[in-house]
């Protein structure tokens, strides 16, 4: 898959990055462990401002991701800097969820997304666009699968209006609060107005924004 | 995107009486007891949690508890769009499955000279369902 391969750092330089893809809990265990020890525990866990400070990458996220059934195609991905093999971002998603506009169609649902903070790069150049590249992993997965670019996600309430604006700037479209969402089998999925989606055409536009970092 | 930790805790509390304020106990529930549920029940709980963006209501939690307590075979399969297939293709597959089962039933009748017993047919359908799903 055509993931991002470089990220900009200061003075016009770039660093080389890679993507690890886990399609089972066993494979995800290694990614999560690396994320927890190198990024989450030392730089995120103690930062109460961050929405992801108390996320459990050890048990709850990987376990629940991969117990939903393989038809939903659960995936975990890790973006990492090749120099020093340092994790930059994590994603948990369902590649084959139902699409908001038409439940018979496939769409990727981005469940968890976390990026390494600048504080994790003490004494080293801080890569720019880490979060954009982390979302791009999900968009790339969606573009290369049955979802054909369709993707949706929920913006964490802790992120407030700033996060909503951030997603809009990335090219995602806010789903109207009146839209009925494909719910779980038990109970409804409540639309609090913080859902975003990428249609097929928009996914291509969003993906193209990072094309200069793919080759 | 993220399911709040409180939702994980409330599910553990509703299903197993775990203290929702005890982070370690909640974690233990998912690491240990959760994995002893049938695969269908685990998928149902995962599906429920992935759909939560706030603390779930008591009504929803009780509905989950009721659904999870059913025997595994009575827990309905979760929705997922067919991968690379249209609705028409799925209907065609279902139709082929029915044709196949009818054919097998007719063969069984002919071989034994009597209709297949209801329980045997149920087993056969379950086996076929497993194969096709």
């Amino acid at each position: 898959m055509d993931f991002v391969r470089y990220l900009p750092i200061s003075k016009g330089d770039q660093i080389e990055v890679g993507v690890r893809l886990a399609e089972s809990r066993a494979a995800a265990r290694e990614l999560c462990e690396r994320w927890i020890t190198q990024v989450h525990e030392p730089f995120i866990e103690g930062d109460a401002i961050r929405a992801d400070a108390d996320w459990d990458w050890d048990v709850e996220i990987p376990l629940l991701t991969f117990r939903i059934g393989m038809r939903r195609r659960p995936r975990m991905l890790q973006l990492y800097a090749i120099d020093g093999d340092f994790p930059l971002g994590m994603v948990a998603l369902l590649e084959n969820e139902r699409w908001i506009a038409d439940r018979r169609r496939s769409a990727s649902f981005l469940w968890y997304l976390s990026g390494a903070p600048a504080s994790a790069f003490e004494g080293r150049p801080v890569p720019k666009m880490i979060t954009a590249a982390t979302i791009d992993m999900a968009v790339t997965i969606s573009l290369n699968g049955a979802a054909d670019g369709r993707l949706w996600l929920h913006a964490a309430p802790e992120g407030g209006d700033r996060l909503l604006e951030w997603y809009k700037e990335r090219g995602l479209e806010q789903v109207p609060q009146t839209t009925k969402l494909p719910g779980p089998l038990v109970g409804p999925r409540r639309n609090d107005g913080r859902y975003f989606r990428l249609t097929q055409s928009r996914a291509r536009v969003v993906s193209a924004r990072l094309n200069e970092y793919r080759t | 995107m993220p399911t709040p930790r409180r939702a994980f805790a409330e599910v553990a509390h509703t299903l197993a009486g775990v203290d929702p304020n005890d982070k370690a106990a909640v974690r233990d529930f998912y690491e240990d007891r959760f994995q002893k549920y049938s695969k269908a029940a685990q998928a149902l709980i995962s599906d429920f949690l992935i759909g939560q963006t706030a603390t779930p209501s008591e009504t929803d939690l009780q509905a989950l508890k009721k659904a999870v307590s059913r025997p595994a075979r009575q827990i309905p399969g979760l929705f997922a769009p067919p991968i690379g297939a249209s609705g028409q293709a799925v209907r065609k597959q279902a139709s082929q499955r029915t044709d196949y089962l009818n054919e097998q039933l007719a063969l069984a009748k002919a071989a034994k000279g009597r209709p297949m017993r209801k329980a045997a047919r149920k087993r056969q359908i379950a086996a076929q369902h497993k194969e096709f799903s």
Side-chain angles (χ1 to χ4, degrees):
Chain A
M1 266 178 266
D2 205 6
F3 292 113
V4 164
R5 292 180 58 196
Y6 301 94
L7 281 183
I9 51 173
S10 56
K11 295 175 190 166
D13 289 337
Q14 294 183 336
I15 61 157
E16 207 176 341
V17 298
V19 172
R20 291 192 177 97
L21 169 65
E23 298 183 355
S24 67
R25 195 188 170 209
R29 198 184 301 266
E30 197 193 324
L31 305 191
C32 290
E33 201 174 303
R34 192 178 282 123
W35 178 253
I36 291 164
T37 54
Q38 295 188 56
V39 180
H40 185 81
E41 276 182 0
F43 304 109
I44 295 177
E45 206 171 57
D47 187 349
I49 298 169
R50 286 187 62 122
D52 54 355
D54 70 343
W55 291 0
D56 182 2
W57 289 101
D58 187 28
V59 177
E60 291 168 2
I61 300 174
L63 182 65
L64 276 291
T65 299
F66 289 103
R67 290 299 159 93
I68 195 158
M70 298 319 275
R71 284 182 65 199
R72 303 276 269 277
R73 296 198 163 201
R75 304 279 183 260
M76 286 186 87
L77 296 109
Q78 183 175 76
L79 179 75
Y80 68 101
I82 287 180
D83 182 25
D85 194 3
F86 188 78
L88 302 174
M90 284 290 285
V91 153
L93 60 82
L94 302 178
E95 191 187 328
N96 189 39
E97 178 54 281
R98 293 149 290 165
W99 179 228
I100 294 176
D102 179 354
R103 278 135 225 245
R104 292 166 304 173
R105 306 193 96 171
S106 177
S108 296
F109 177 69
L110 179 50
W111 191 30
Y112 280 95
L113 181 153
S114 187
S119 57
F121 300 92
E122 207 175 25
R124 288 177 294 164
V126 182
K128 293 172 184 169
M129 303 167 67
I130 287 180
T131 317
T134 307
I135 289 185
D136 184 74
M137 293 193 293
V139 175
T140 306
I141 286 281
S142 180
L143 280 169
N144 283 275
D148 198 18
R150 288 180 292 267
L151 180 135
W152 55 297
L153 58 85
H154 180 261
E158 295 89 338
D161 289 344
R162 224 179 61 178
L163 186 59
L164 301 182
E165 288 308 314
W166 192 87
Y167 278 122
K168 284 177 195 168
E169 284 164 18
R170 302 274 98 61
L172 282 94
E173 179 190 355
Q174 196 166 8
V175 176
Q177 200 166 351
T178 48
T179 304
K180 196 166 180 268
L181 304 168
L185 198 60
V186 176
R189 189 192 295 262
R190 291 185 176 83
N191 187 346
D192 58 0
R194 297 184 66 87
Y195 280 90
F196 282 84
R197 69 179 176 188
L198 266 183
T199 57
Q200 290 159 287
S201 54
R202 285 178 93 108
R204 280 169 178 78
V205 173
V206 168
S207 175
R209 288 181 187 169
L210 292 183
N211 276 354
E212 64 179 295
Y213 302 111
R214 293 184 206 282
T215 50
Chain B
M1 201 180 327
T3 298
R5 290 297 296 277
R6 192 72 198 170
F8 285 97
E10 290 299 334
V11 165
H13 174 68
T14 305
L15 296 182
V18 172
D19 178 359
N21 299 311
D22 184 343
K23 273 189 176 179
V26 171
R27 208 160 180 268
D28 285 349
F29 167 79
Y30 287 101
E31 208 160 24
D32 182 31
R33 293 179 69 172
F34 169 78
Q35 301 195 59
K36 289 175 183 156
Y37 285 102
S38 67
K39 280 192 174 171
Q42 287 183 33
L44 197 67
I45 297 166
S46 297
D47 179 59
F48 180 85
L49 278 167
I50 287 173
Q52 304 303 316
T53 54
T55 307
S57 70
E58 189 56 31
T59 312
D60 292 346
L61 286 164
Q62 289 306 323
L64 176 70
K65 187 178 182 180
K66 194 176 166 190
V68 166
S69 66
R70 287 182 196 143
R73 66 178 184 280
Q74 286 179 20
I75 296 177
L78 299 177
F79 305 122
I83 299 164
S86 66
Q88 199 178 10
V90 173
R91 282 193 294 277
K92 189 179 170 190
Q93 193 187 44
S95 162
Q96 282 170 345
R97 184 169 61 198
T98 311
D99 290 347
Y100 176 83
L101 290 175
N102 286 336
E103 190 185 309
Q104 291 298 307
L105 187 62
L107 283 172
K109 274 182 186 174
K112 293 183 181 174
R114 60 184 170 82
M116 187 184 275
R117 292 178 61 163
K118 201 176 172 185
R121 181 152 199 268
K122 262 189 178 175
R123 277 198 300 276
Q124 190 182 44
I125 289 171
Q128 283 302 317
H129 179 74
K130 207 173 171 185
E131 189 182 318
F132 277 89
S133 61

